[in-house]
Amino acid sequence: MSQLAFLSFFAGFVLLAATLPATADQEYPTFEVHFSNGIVSPSVIEVPANSRFKLELRNEGSTPIEFESTALRKEKVLAPGASSFIVFHPLDPGNYAFFDDFHLDMPPARIVAR
């Protein structure tokens, strides 16, 4: 590949990358969810309807957890002591259940979009 072709390709790539949304760096309303051996806290999370938001997940227990919501089509596994996040698309007003799929004996929690 000639140097001119490479520079053209590189410039195009940089322009494309600059126009893509940076979802991880954008500021969204953020809500923390703590998991500890099957207990989810808080059990009800109120979020703004019709806007994106982020859940920060923290596993403070001694066993793995799996955040799971069939209604929202989201899941994430966390090892003991691990943390991560999920960014959600805007939700219609309503209630959305989620649970720890590795601790099904515990009651589900819910996200309430208002």
Side-chain angles (χ1 to χ4, degrees):
M1 179 184 285
S2 73
Q3 187 175 6
L4 181 59
F6 174 76
L7 289 175
S8 296
F9 172 77
F10 184 73
F13 179 77
V14 169
L15 286 174
L16 177 64
T19 61
L20 293 175
T23 56
D25 293 337
Q26 291 182 5
E27 291 296 322
Y28 299 116
T30 301
F31 305 90
E32 285 191 14
V33 183
H34 299 265
F35 296 84
S36 183
N37 302 319
I39 298 171
V40 181
S41 178
S43 60
V44 177
I45 302 165
E46 290 193 21
V47 301
N50 303 312
S51 64
R52 287 181 161 226
F53 65 94
K54 179 167 77 169
L55 288 186
E56 289 187 354
L57 310 174
R58 301 188 191 291
N59 182 1
E60 298 167 346
S62 59
T63 61
I65 64 100
E66 180 178 6
F67 173 95
E68 174 109 21
S69 175
T70 52
L72 298 171
R73 298 185 192 175
K74 300 278 187 181
E75 60 183 321
K76 184 160 287 225
V77 174
L78 295 176
S83 62
S84 188
F85 67 90
I86 302 175
V87 175
F88 289 80
H89 288 285
L91 298 179
D92 290 332
N95 290 294
Y96 302 89
F98 71 93
F99 53 94
D100 177 353
D101 201 22
F102 293 161
H103 297 89
L104 293 175
D105 56 325
M106 300 302 286
R110 62 189 166 105
I111 296 170
V112 178
R114 294 182 196 251

